Amino acid sequence: MLAISRSLRQKNLQQSHFFIYSVRTCHRTWTYKRYLIQEKADHRKLQYLKLQKCNFRTTQNLHIPPLMAVLLRPVLRIGALLMGRIMKKWWARKSGKEKEEYKILSIFLYFLQGCFGLYGLILAIYYITHLKTDPLTQRSRFIIFNQEQEKKLGKMVLKAHLEAHKQDLVPHSHPAYKRLVRVIEKIRTANADLKSMRDIQWTLTVINIPLSNSYILPGGNIFVSLDILNIIENDDQLGIILAHEMAHSLLLHSLESLSDQLLWDFLIVIPILLVWALFPDMTAAIIHIIGERIVNVMYNLPFSRILENEADEVGLKLAAKACIDIREAVVFWATMRTLTEMHTLPPELPWISTHPAHGDREKNLNQTMTKALELRRDSGLLSYNYLLYNCINNIVFY
């Protein structure tokens, strides 16, 4: 009876395995047939679209090489200065009668106004056609470079920074380097669903300098000073800082900043030209310097602080998906604020700084903490369900 019972069990087990195998085979066959049917339908749609094709064509955006943009910035300013002085000297050589004749000729004035208007129209069209929506923040931004150009720029800048810090490089065998790599890999793996995260080739360089700082170069090249680990209490705070730097790269902030600066250089060409054409050299130089300082304080620095706040918010989400205790972000910036108030760290001047004040960052992160904690909870639940699903599949198949 025992032998018969065993044989019946084996037979039932074989039948159940055969049934499961048959169901899976049928499901795969039906999936494959459905794929073929869908492929044929899509092919017919494509044929129909080809028949309906018209002669309207669009051109790709005109991307400027980053190196050319860097060199073009001073050329624009110096060129406008020189052109203004040349126009001033040309006008000074004219006699009183000739000057009156030029003033009477309204065509000359219309010509200048038309040139300035055409120049502004070209800039406006170029600006509108190079606006891109960021997939992470849904913010529209002006970028005139592509990611391949960013990689090339990143390699050049990385080479220059490595050469500058060749005496301060920390070896890969250093415990701090291994600690940083472990946290970066945790953030990268948890956010692998982002295409931009997968496309970037992340690198890490640790430098031993007496400065508590971390920054990222174009192309995902992270630099961290060894001294910053002295003010970090745990790996959660370290993850917050590294996620902030990685967010800068994902959001293409380096490309956006360079694009914005170049656009401003093109915009202020006309004012610089007019200042140097209408005023004496000394007066024009003073107006030029004061004007650049005003633009820097009123626009460039606030724009940089906006990008830093954006990187804080996106970095908080990246850290939350990695199940890092993101509440440590508020603790870290509160500590930085306290150290500044105690004069342990240099005093802050937010209105002339590229970064927000420590207290402002603490408040901003605290306001977004509720949603970030919900994201962290959901990410932890998804990770648990994924592990549970894998365990069930292993039980079934093996």
Side-chain angles (χ1 to χ4, degrees):
M1 292 293 293
L2 184 59
I4 294 172
S5 177
R6 288 179 180 176
S7 63
L8 288 174
R9 287 179 182 176
Q10 291 178 354
K11 186 176 181 180
N12 291 334
L13 186 60
Q14 291 176 355
Q15 289 178 351
S16 62
H17 285 172
F18 177 76
F19 175 75
I20 293 172
Y21 175 77
S22 301
V23 170
R24 288 177 183 163
T25 304
C26 292
H27 180 264
R28 291 172 184 168
T29 304
W30 165 244
T31 304
Y32 178 70
K33 289 181 178 179
R34 186 175 57 182
Y35 171 76
L36 290 178
I37 294 171
Q38 184 65 33
E39 187 180 22
K40 290 180 180 179
D42 293 340
H43 181 67
R44 289 174 183 172
K45 289 179 181 179
L46 288 174
Q47 286 182 337
Y48 176 75
L49 290 174
K50 288 179 181 178
L51 291 174
Q52 298 296 322
K53 182 176 64 175
C54 60
N55 293 324
F56 177 78
R57 291 182 295 178
T58 58
T59 57
Q60 294 182 352
N61 288 348
L62 179 60
H63 295 294
I64 300 176
L67 185 59
M68 181 184 295
V70 173
L71 297 175
L72 193 59
R73 294 195 62 203
V75 170
L76 285 171
R77 294 169 180 263
I78 296 174
L81 186 153
L82 295 176
M83 182 59 67
R85 295 188 78 248
I86 290 171
M87 291 176 63
K88 180 170 58 180
K89 290 181 178 180
W90 171 80
W91 183 256
R93 288 195 298 266
K94 299 296 179 183
S95 62
K97 184 178 180 180
E98 290 176 329
K99 290 179 180 179
E100 289 297 328
E101 290 177 355
Y102 275 107
K103 290 179 181 180
I104 294 173
L105 290 175
S106 58
I107 299 177
F108 181 70
L109 297 176
Y110 290 152
F111 175 76
L112 289 178
Q113 293 174 2
C115 290
F116 293 155
L118 180 62
Y119 181 79
L121 179 62
I122 292 174
L123 284 181
I125 293 174
Y126 188 81
Y127 176 81
I128 294 172
T129 55
H130 287 77
L131 288 175
K132 299 179 181 179
T133 302
D134 184 78
L136 296 178
T137 62
Q138 301 303 315
R139 180 175 64 86
S140 182
R141 69 265 178 91
F142 173 71
I143 295 181
I144 60 176
F145 314 106
N146 56 35
Q147 293 186 354
E148 289 300 322
Q149 292 173 337
E150 182 194 21
K151 292 178 181 178
K152 294 179 181 178
L153 177 64
K155 290 179 180 179
M156 291 188 296
V157 178
L158 176 61
K159 185 177 180 180
H161 277 251
L162 291 176
E163 182 65 24
H165 295 289
K166 61 182 179 181
Q167 303 296 333
D168 307 316
L169 296 178
V170 174
H172 294 183
S173 58
H174 196 282
Y177 188 92
K178 295 180 180 179
R179 179 187 178 189
L180 288 162
V181 168
R182 184 173 64 251
V183 177
I184 291 173
E185 183 62 22
K186 181 179 180 181
I187 298 171
R188 189 195 66 80
T189 305
N191 293 274
D193 58 315
L194 301 176
K195 184 179 182 300
S196 53
M197 180 69 77
R198 299 192 305 269
D199 291 343
I200 296 176
Q201 296 181 353
W202 302 97
T203 66
L204 171 67
T205 304
V206 183
I207 49 179
N208 188 10
I209 57 175
L211 182 65
S212 301
N213 191 22
S214 65
Y215 58 92
I216 189 164
L217 302 178
N221 304 305
I222 305 172
F223 274 69
V224 180
S225 67
L226 201 59
D227 196 49
I228 198 174
L229 299 178
N230 296 329
I231 60 175
I232 291 176
E233 298 179 4
N234 47 55
D235 282 357
D236 292 316
Q237 292 185 5
L238 183 59
I240 296 296
I241 293 174
L242 293 173
H244 169 86
E245 302 300 341
M246 297 171 76
H248 274 305
S249 188
L250 294 178
L251 295 168
L252 303 178
H253 280 171
S254 59
L255 299 185
E256 184 178 1
S257 297
L258 186 55
S259 301
D260 186 77
Q261 292 168 5
L262 186 61
L263 178 65
W264 265 104
D265 288 333
F266 273 102
L267 287 174
I268 64 175
V269 161
I270 302 300
I272 291 175
L273 187 149
L274 293 176
V275 165
W276 284 93
L278 299 176
F279 295 95
D281 289 350
M282 185 59 68
T283 305
I286 295 173
I287 296 174
H288 189 169
I289 294 172
I290 294 175
E292 285 195 345
R293 296 296 181 271
I294 292 174
V295 170
N296 190 46
V297 173
M298 299 297 294
Y299 179 79
N300 293 335
L301 294 177
F303 180 74
S304 178
R305 292 194 289 269
I306 289 174
L307 297 186
E308 289 296 330
N309 285 326
E310 188 176 70
D312 277 345
E313 295 179 7
V314 174
L316 198 69
K317 295 178 181 179
L318 297 178
K321 290 177 66 177
C323 293
I324 291 173
D325 189 356
I326 53 177
R327 294 170 295 184
E328 290 291 338
V330 180
V331 176
F332 174 78
W333 290 114
T335 303
M336 295 291 287
R337 174 179 53 81
T338 304
L339 292 175
T340 304
E341 292 172 352
M342 295 172 61
H343 304 289
T344 304
L345 295 177
E348 291 184 296
L349 296 173
W351 61 282
I352 58 171
S353 175
T354 58
H355 288 63
H358 301 324
D360 293 338
R361 301 179 86 163
E362 176 189 355
K363 293 177 183 178
N364 292 336
L365 289 172
N366 207 12
Q367 291 175 356
T368 60
M369 190 58 63
T370 302
K371 293 183 178 180
L373 286 172
E374 292 176 358
L375 177 62
R376 181 175 182 268
R377 182 195 61 197
D378 296 339
S379 299
L381 183 62
L382 288 173
S383 300
Y384 173 77
N385 290 337
Y386 179 74
L387 291 174
L388 184 62
Y389 174 76
N390 283 343
C391 291
I392 294 173
N393 281 345
N394 289 337
I395 293 172
V396 172
F397 290 108
Y398 298 99

